[in-house]
Every structure is written in structure tokens, then in C-alpha cells.
Amino acid sequence: MNGAGIVKITDIRAQVKTPGRYSVFVDGKFSFGLSEVALLDAGVRVGQELSAPQLAELKQTAQSDKAYNRALGLLARRPRSEWEMRDYLKRKDYEQTLIDATVTRLRDGGWLNDADFARRWVENRRLLKSISRRRLQQELKAKRVSDDIIAGVLAEDDTDEAQVLQELIIRKRKQTRYQEPEKLMAYLLRQGYNYSDIKEALARQE
């Protein structure tokens, strides 16, 4: 450290394990990491001298940058609800103020939107599995999506649930383990279908 608390950036190196991120060294020692975008935005360069407050500000920027990029990495695997994102960042031990700021940034950037998340969830589940509207509602509630959003998204879903149930019964009856009516009934109830709807659907196929 130089006089009057001044320090100098002595090196900037690309991180081998995390492409697109750079390690910043201050007075010969690692100090913080930044993404390429954050590095350019901050104007960090080798030889730059920093006061203690400036270094502290850059370290705070680095923490925010890391949280944001971690969040983007999570979203790259699949869309998430806002609650899921908050829970993820909380498990990474970020402070609440940083979690709030990161979620706001993601929301403003169009990366986080519970209504879009719920629509995609319903569309994907409908494609992959014969699932009931009630089960979809339960799954979205587990993701802490608001009741108003769930109701609106499910209202947009024009799937013929009676037809889906009929097709599901036909498929399951081809499997040995569902030859017994009680086991088939239990399975259908677990998928969220009402008892009366199941009985009616089964009766149609007798």
C-alpha cells in the first residue's frame, strides 16, 4: 500500500475455471473478480491507483456482479420463479439488500417474470406429462407464484382435461402394474384428478 492509503492495481488475469471472468490483483495480491462487462464498465486497468473507498466500492461491485452472473447461470438451465431465485441467492449467503438488488436487476432486464415463468411451466408440463389443472396449480404454488398469476395463466390454458384424462387411462392400462383398478385410481389421484372425474372416465372405458 502506498502513502495515504493508496493502492495500485498490479495485474488483471483471465480466470481459467470461469471463462469471461477476470481476477484483479491489488499490490500483488488477488483482491476481487469481475466479469468482462463489469470490468469494462468499471474502467479497471493495470497501474490504476485507488483510494480505500474506491477499492471498497469496486469490491462491492464485484460481489454484485458475481451474484448477478450466478443468477444468470441458474436461469440458463431453466426459467425460475422469483421465489426460487431469492431462495437460491439466500443459500449462497448473500445479504438481503444484495438479493433484492439482484432480483430487481433481473426483473428489469426481463430475465425474471413470474407470469412468463408460470406460462412456460404449464406449457412444458402439458407437453411432457398428462397432468391435471389442480396438480399444475399445486406445483406453481410450491414455487410461490401468486394466486392471481396462477389463476390467470390457468385460465389461458384451453386443454381439454377430460380428454387428457381419458388418454392417460388408456396409456396406463397398458402397463402391468396398473391392471388393478385400485392402483390405477391411486395413480390418477396423485396426478391431481378429482375422484368423481376419474370414476366417470373409467366408466366410459368399460
Side-chain angles (χ1 to χ4, degrees):
M1 182 177 290
N2 299 321
I6 299 299
V7 297
K8 182 183 289 186
I9 295 176
T10 51
D11 198 6
I12 299 174
R13 303 177 194 167
Q15 295 182 0
V16 177
K17 293 184 178 180
T18 313
R21 289 191 66 81
Y22 294 81
S23 296
V24 179
F25 293 77
V26 173
D27 288 345
K29 296 180 180 179
F30 171 79
S31 183
F32 55 87
L34 286 171
S35 66
E36 185 173 3
V37 172
L39 189 71
L40 293 172
D41 286 346
V44 176
R45 65 189 184 280
V46 175
Q48 182 179 1
E49 294 187 338
L50 303 168
S51 65
Q54 287 174 322
L55 179 59
E57 184 177 352
L58 278 175
K59 286 185 174 181
Q60 182 60 47
T61 297
Q63 188 179 35
S64 299
D65 178 58
K66 187 172 184 178
Y68 181 69
N69 281 280
R70 271 183 163 175
L72 290 179
L74 186 71
L75 290 168
R77 294 197 283 275
R78 74 162 175 81
R80 310 279 167 162
S81 68
E82 183 173 315
W83 174 82
E84 285 183 293
M85 182 56 70
R86 288 182 177 278
D87 182 63
Y88 168 76
L89 294 171
K90 184 178 180 180
R91 286 186 280 109
K92 293 298 181 182
D93 294 325
Y94 288 113
E95 295 181 358
Q96 189 60 50
T97 52
L98 180 53
I99 293 173
D100 291 341
T102 302
V103 167
T104 297
R105 185 178 175 187
L106 291 166
R107 197 190 299 131
D108 291 346
W111 295 104
L112 206 58
N113 183 303
D114 272 2
D116 288 343
F117 166 79
R119 289 190 189 95
R120 291 185 185 186
W121 185 270
V122 170
E123 290 170 1
N124 290 337
R125 295 290 277 154
R126 286 297 195 195
L127 286 173
L128 299 174
K129 194 171 184 180
S130 300
I131 192 169
S132 68
R133 183 172 278 104
R134 186 168 67 174
R135 178 68 177 273
L136 288 168
Q137 182 183 41
Q138 292 169 346
E139 290 178 350
L140 289 171
K141 286 178 76 69
K143 304 294 184 184
R144 304 295 199 277
V145 176
S146 74
D147 290 340
D148 287 344
I149 289 177
I150 294 173
V153 169
L154 291 180
E156 297 171 1
D157 178 32
D158 58 0
T159 302
D160 185 341
E161 194 147 289
Q163 182 62 32
V164 170
L165 178 55
Q166 289 284 344
E167 293 172 355
L168 179 59
I169 291 172
I170 291 172
R171 288 204 309 276
K172 290 300 173 182
R173 275 182 161 169
K174 294 177 181 178
Q175 300 178 20
T176 304
R177 60 178 169 171
Y178 293 118
Q179 294 303 307
E180 295 180 27
E182 294 80 7
K183 289 186 178 180
L184 179 58
M185 174 70 77
Y187 170 81
L188 296 171
L189 287 170
R190 289 197 301 273
Q191 302 314 304
Y193 291 100
N194 293 323
Y195 180 82
S196 58
D197 292 338
I198 296 172
K199 291 289 288 185
E200 183 179 346
L202 290 171
R204 289 177 184 173
Q205 296 187 22
E206 294 299 332

